[in-house]
Amino acid sequence: MAGSEAAWQAAQAGIPVVIHEMRPQVETFAHRTGNLAEMVCSNSFRSDDSEQNAVGLLHWEMRAAGGLIMQTADRHRLPAGGALAVDRDPFSEEVTATLRAHPLVTVEEGEISELPAEGHWIIATGPLTSGALAEAIRAETGAESLAFFDAIAPIVYADSIDMDTAWMQSRYDKGETEEEQKAYLNCPMTKDQYEAFIDALLAADKTEFHEGETAGYFDGCLPIEVMAERGRETLRHGPMKPVGLTNAHKPDEKAWAVVQLRRDNKLGTLYNIVGFQTKMKYGAQTEVFRMIPGLENASFARLGGIHRNTFLNSPTLLDGEMRLRSRPNIRFAGQITGVEGYVESAAMGLLAGRLAVAEITGKTLPPVPAETAMGALVTHITGGAEAKTFQPMNVNFGLFPPVEGLKGGRRGRKDRYKAYTDRAKSLWTDWLQSTVTGAEASPAE
Ligand SMILES: Cc1cc2nc3c(=O)[nH]c(=O)nc-3n(C[C@H](O)[C@H](O)[C@H](O)COP(=O)(O)OP(=O)(O)OC[C@H]3O[C@@H](n4cnc5c(N)ncnc54)[C@H](O)[C@@H]3O)c2cc1C
């Protein structure tokens, strides 16, 4: 996804590109063909609503930028209500044919197993990056900076949490400053609530790993339901332990268990539920997590998951232009940068392609506005996210700087989202205008 889009953007701007694709010579457990832009699982690009949905807005921004992935997806659209579902084989066949037919694009089949020392490169090898290249990246960045599994805890919009039930406090009030002493958001449970929660966890529908996906999985990312299966008290002595916490609303009542949430972005609009990585199905997750006192009306920016997923600690490794700080001739794009999803991956390819073109043609671009979907994502992965707990992220409105003066909470949501998307469209249009190069104005034949 990302590599195809990056190549298209650069070639359309008049820059010759070589795409290196290891398939079909080297296969992955998920891909079935040798095509570029293969959709490995669902055939959905999710919501196409550019007024009320952040991924729909990303569609809009990519279309405005002449994105190959979006224009091809539009041509192979299947009926799916408000979602953009795609006829996957004709889609990837057409992306492949279009790129192969482009006079400035060459496709070379074969694995890249080293980090190239010279030339302008975009590494967009995805969640299933080959072992040899992953090793080379690890050698460059350090073992801690490249993960092979994600362990995604659900992320909740801060303004949907009931603060009449929850309170802010770090365990044992640890920390030098007041901000640190109140870094966590706590949701208390009584014994009955805890027992009901464990029952629901045990009964919930779970997803299975794909075949070939599990090697190395149990390294410190046990799903909460697996912890619950090991014993009804396990969670109460693990991520839900109540010690060192005093309920600010009921100081005399000792909670039987406490669920903690931690800030997930610098804006403070998102909180993740600490230690709650899970393989529960999405429907089950919302049901079970809304049993937590304080989260009865929670809106989820993303739900939890555990997948085979190679990704960088981008906030520490990449600069704002998606270049590897230690080797600026290499950019990263796509899922390997810590975004999640076909659309987000392609979007980061689009941006990396354009940033590379600017660099090659000696143009200085203004930063991508953080108020656009594209900018919100790239700002998050290259600095907005907490580096210590960095996990892959879908695009969502929690990543956007708030529009001042609008009503918070559920009631104001429709107007708020419309304000976000109007602002983004205007700023993205301006930004695109600033990237127009001579070569792009008259694309190569
Ligand atoms: C099993 C699975 C299911 C998924 N399901 C969904 C889903 O349903 N919906 C969704 O939105 N997202 C899904 N994703 C997440 C993700 O969005 C997609 O994987 C998406 O394709 C990522 O785009 P990308 O461009 O970063 O990587 P990819 O589309 O995977 O492209 C990377 C390319 O690099 C190639 N490559 C890897 N290593 C090398 C190398 N060393 N040399 C040369 N080529 C190399 C690969 O063969 C591949 O073609 C899923 C991921 C996985 C692993």
Side-chain angles (χ1 to χ4, degrees):
M1 292 290 165
S4 300
E5 188 61 60
W8 173 254
Q9 293 291 327
Q12 285 295 88
I15 304 295
V17 183
V18 181
I19 299 176
H20 298 266
E21 171 51 61
M22 70 176 183
R23 289 177 294 113
Q25 291 176 12
V26 180
E27 304 208 324
T28 77
F29 75 83
H31 293 88
R32 292 179 302 110
T33 72
N35 290 336
L36 306 175
E38 181 177 330
M39 300 172 84
V40 284
C41 187
S42 102
N43 70 334
S44 175
F45 275 16
R46 311 189 336 261
S47 171
D48 201 27
D49 178 351
S50 75
E51 291 192 350
Q52 290 290 315
N53 189 288
V55 79
L57 175 64
L58 204 48
H59 292 175
W60 189 96
E61 293 180 5
M62 291 165 79
R63 287 184 181 117
L68 175 66
I69 294 296
M70 286 313 300
Q71 68 193 39
T72 314
D74 285 336
R75 271 200 291 279
H76 297 286
R77 180 176 205 130
L78 297 170
L84 173 55
V86 178
D87 195 357
R88 69 176 76 225
D89 287 337
F91 162 77
S92 63
E93 280 159 17
E94 188 178 325
V95 170
T96 309
T98 307
L99 286 168
R100 282 188 181 274
H102 198 294
L104 293 180
V105 176
T106 312
V107 180
E108 284 185 14
E109 283 175 8
E111 180 185 6
I112 298 286
S113 49
E114 297 291 337
L115 289 184
E118 285 172 3
H120 295 273
W121 288 79
I122 297 175
I123 298 185
T125 45
L128 307 177
T129 295
S130 75
L133 183 62
E135 263 323 303
I137 297 170
R138 240 160 116 94
E140 174 70 22
T141 61
E144 296 299 302
S145 299
L146 185 73
F148 291 100
F149 277 86
D150 54 39
I152 297 167
I155 295 176
V156 181
Y157 288 108
D159 64 4
S160 69
I161 301 169
D162 176 9
M163 293 308 291
D164 290 336
T165 302
W167 76 97
M168 304 296 303
Q169 185 190 7
S170 300
R171 211 179 286 286
Y172 298 114
D173 302 305
K174 269 196 188 144
E176 301 279 296
T177 61
E178 191 182 344
E179 195 185 8
E180 283 171 12
Q181 289 158 5
K182 294 193 168 168
Y184 288 79
L185 199 151
N186 303 286
C187 298
M189 274 190 189
T190 62
K191 187 169 191 293
D192 287 349
Q193 286 166 333
Y194 178 81
E195 293 299 337
F197 183 73
I198 298 295
D199 288 339
L201 273 183
L202 295 174
D205 273 352
K206 324 280 183 331
T207 50
E208 301 297 326
F209 277 110
H210 293 78
E211 207 183 325
E213 200 183 357
T214 49
Y217 142 65
F218 279 103
D219 291 0
C221 61
L222 272 190
I224 42 163
E225 61 276 9
V226 174
M227 287 190 242
E229 275 162 20
R230 293 188 171 181
R232 296 186 69 88
E233 290 292 289
T234 308
L235 281 169
R236 223 169 70 76
H237 296 287
M240 293 175 71
K241 62 175 177 274
V243 296
L245 295 166
T246 306
N247 187 336
H249 307 292
K250 297 175 184 167
D252 299 332
E253 233 173 70
K254 188 76 201 146
W256 185 254
V258 173
V259 175
Q260 287 203 301
L261 291 88
R262 182 172 45 216
R263 203 160 88 167
D264 204 69
N265 63 345
K266 290 208 167 75
L267 292 170
T269 49
L270 301 173
Y271 275 78
N272 74 66
I273 312 185
V274 181
F276 269 39
Q277 56 274 3
T278 176
K279 293 281 290 176
M280 277 189 288
K281 290 198 171 151
Y282 282 176
Q285 287 190 40
T286 39
E287 235 168 78
V288 173
F289 295 139
R290 285 189 184 136
M291 292 173 72
I292 298 170
L295 302 190
E296 293 89 346
N297 295 310
S299 292
F300 294 91
R302 72 156 308 159
L303 289 161
I306 299 174
H307 315 95
R308 172 77 175 78
N309 193 357
T310 311
F311 66 98
L312 300 171
N313 191 283
S314 294
T316 54
L317 296 177
L318 302 186
D319 69 14
E321 294 213 357
M322 305 167 80
R323 287 176 295 220
L324 191 58
R325 289 178 196 279
S326 61
R327 300 248 205 142
N329 69 316
I330 297 174
R331 280 189 163 75
F332 281 85
Q335 183 127 339
I336 197 168
T337 61
V339 296
E340 166 96 17
Y342 301 140
V343 180
E344 287 87 338
S345 298
M348 292 301 97
L350 188 152
L351 202 53
R354 285 188 169 239
L355 291 169
V357 168
E359 188 173 314
I360 291 165
T361 55
K363 209 164 185 277
T364 309
L365 299 181
V368 189
E371 296 86 351
T372 62
M374 199 72 79
L377 260 185
V378 77
T379 305
H380 181 76
I381 59 172
T382 60
E386 294 296 337
K388 268 196 212 147
T389 54
F390 185 61
Q391 289 290 326
M393 185 58 115
N394 285 129
V395 69
N396 65 77
F397 287 124
L399 303 179
F400 290 59
V403 178
E404 298 303 330
L406 288 176
K407 213 170 12 169
R410 273 172 183 251
R411 286 227 182 102
R413 201 153 61 181
K414 204 163 175 221
D415 291 343
R416 207 163 58 240
Y417 289 174
K418 181 72 168 50
Y420 282 142
T421 56
D422 283 348
R423 177 180 68 173
K425 287 174 185 175
S426 157
L427 289 170
W428 180 244
T429 306
D430 293 348
W431 188 82
L432 281 179
Q433 203 52 42
S434 72
T435 67
V436 174
T437 62
E440 192 188 43
S442 54
E445 289 296 309

